[in-house]
Amino acid sequence: MHKLTDYLLAIRTPNSPSAPAGVKTVELVPADGDDVISSTIGGLRAGGLTAADFRSRAIFLVPDGPGGLVTYAALCGFSGRRVDAYADGAVLEFSRLDRDGAACPDAGRPSEFLMWAQVGGPVAEGIPTVHLGSGGQELVSPQAATVIRYAARLRMVPPESVRDALAMFVLVAALRRRADDRFPFLSTGTEPVPLTKNALDQGIDLEKLRQEAARHRQELRIASRGAEVVARVPVSPHNRRIAEANGVDIRTVLRRLGSTTDEEGMWHCPRPRSHSNGDERPSMKVYGDNRTRCQRCDAEKIGPVRLAVDVLRVTPDEAASFILDSDRVVDLRAA
Ligand SMILES: [Zn+2]
């Protein structure tokens, strides 16, 4: 068990508890602006943290309130690991936990593509809502594990205690992790009920924050390399998944998106709302290179992943999951 004084670097935000004397401290002051993600990333940039800072023992001193969890998620994204935290007077050694929750059993892949779910909080209207027991992975029911693992987007309603909220976040992130992390949305308690179509106002998108923090680290790395020749990196499992999804027959994907074809081989656009006549006369053509194009909606020919991204308003990752992971489709656009 570590004490706060065992750490060599303490990371603070404006309302964090104070660091012990003699420990190097970095202050992250969120940048001005209403957008939580860009102001958090702005603070990360201005604070001057580097990846090397996390090679020594580093700890985040967590302030009270939901903002602490947002900064914590950014630090995990930036460092590419789970960072230890100090909250409610206790050192939480998250860096020692297994980041990969694959060992936690679930009840199997859901039979339908699950776009949204919620973990914690009161039951959310219209979407599956699950809860975690307290005390780690062994208290996650297989049903809850299925929902947390397979929901394309998961809204997390944190408990009031910062310490419990961090533990919940780390557990949820472990359950959702595949080749890469997939952080949840953090509820701000103001989300619309019921869930609206393609709503992107479902709390703070911690996954977007994670990706932007990781990109910042990447930029620093490139800058520090200067003119050094960058070694070719092997294709990541993530990119392989996107490539695999792009290999699925575009006509299968069109059908799954609710599109049908006429005798002449033209397809009705799965974005009928973008057409004044609901695309009554089909305007999508399928090309031999497994790509398609709607005369009205697409500036160029697009493949399976970009099509799903555009129609479902999801990320490329989520689109790949939609294409590869489900046999049946819930028509969210009708909701
Ligand atoms: Zn169209």
Side-chain angles (χ1 to χ4, degrees):
M1 201 60 190
H2 282 94
K3 305 185 300 292
L4 199 47
T5 45
D6 294 335
Y7 289 85
L8 301 175
L9 174 69
I11 301 158
R12 296 186 70 250
T13 58
N15 296 312
S16 289
S18 40
V23 175
K24 183 189 164 193
T25 305
V26 169
E27 290 275 345
L28 302 181
V29 182
D32 289 338
D34 292 334
D35 181 58
V36 176
I37 292 180
S38 46
S39 71
T40 305
I41 296 292
L44 197 60
R45 286 178 188 279
L49 276 174
T50 67
D53 287 325
F54 291 90
R55 277 182 220 130
S56 58
R57 295 194 63 82
I59 191 162
F60 173 46
L61 308 179
V62 191
D64 277 332
L69 193 49
V70 175
T71 306
Y72 183 73
L75 289 172
C76 291
F78 178 75
S79 65
R81 60 185 76 183
R82 302 292 179 257
V83 178
D84 286 351
Y86 178 77
D88 297 340
V91 170
L92 308 168
E93 293 187 76
F94 294 129
S95 63
R96 287 191 169 193
L97 297 179
D98 189 359
R99 263 203 306 178
D100 194 347
C104 182
D106 61 42
R109 194 182 288 284
S111 57
E112 294 182 340
F113 181 72
L114 186 53
M115 178 58 85
W116 274 105
Q118 178 174 301
V119 57
V123 171
E125 201 181 322
I127 58 174
T129 306
V130 295
H131 293 92
L132 301 174
S134 52
Q137 292 190 7
E138 62 275 12
L139 288 169
V140 181
S141 74
Q143 288 73 22
T146 282
V147 168
I148 293 166
R149 188 166 281 152
Y150 290 105
R153 289 174 175 163
L154 182 72
R155 181 170 65 205
M156 176 182 135
V157 182
E160 212 159 294
S161 137
V162 184
R163 187 175 166 174
D164 293 346
L166 286 167
M168 180 182 189
F169 168 75
V170 169
L171 178 54
V172 164
L175 282 163
R176 285 176 69 71
R177 188 176 157 82
R178 289 189 187 149
D180 208 343
D181 273 319
R182 295 185 304 142
F183 285 177
F185 280 66
L186 179 62
S187 168
T188 57
T190 58
E191 292 82 26
V193 175
L195 194 68
T196 49
K197 168 185 171 283
N198 289 336
L200 290 175
D201 47 357
Q202 293 301 316
I204 300 163
D205 186 350
L206 297 181
E207 175 58 17
K208 182 170 180 233
L209 177 66
R210 181 189 76 78
Q211 290 180 9
E212 291 197 9
R215 200 170 308 131
H216 171 47
R217 173 197 167 115
Q218 198 71 23
E219 287 162 7
L220 290 178
R221 186 183 296 158
I222 290 164
S224 71
R225 271 185 192 153
E228 232 178 275
V229 176
V230 178
R232 278 184 70 92
V233 286
V235 179
S236 68
H238 160 257
N239 286 339
R240 218 178 296 138
R241 209 170 144 73
I242 302 271
E244 201 188 321
N246 272 327
V248 172
D249 192 323
I250 188 86
R251 286 163 297 203
T252 307
V253 179
L254 275 165
R255 256 181 231 113
R256 296 251 316 268
L257 291 168
S259 185
T260 53
T261 178
D262 70 357
E263 298 90 54
E264 273 101 67
M266 293 292 283
W267 291 77
H268 291 281
C269 182
R271 295 150 290 188
R273 285 174 204 200
S274 314
H275 294 252
S276 52
N277 64 352
D279 203 31
E280 208 171 301
R281 279 194 51 216
S283 42
M284 280 198 100
K285 196 171 169 192
V286 167
Y287 297 86
D289 55 357
N290 205 37
R291 289 194 290 174
T292 185
R293 178 173 173 240
C294 168
Q295 283 163 7
R296 180 174 180 84
C297 305
D298 303 311
E300 56 186 349
K301 294 193 283 178
I302 56 173
V305 170
R306 268 186 63 190
L307 177 66
V309 163
D310 200 55
V311 173
L312 299 172
R313 308 268 175 95
V314 294
T315 65
D317 259 351
E318 291 163 352
S321 292
F322 167 81
I323 294 166
L324 297 173
D325 289 355
S326 60
D327 305 307
R328 284 156 61 201
V329 179
V330 187
D331 192 350
L332 291 149
R333 288 156 299 133

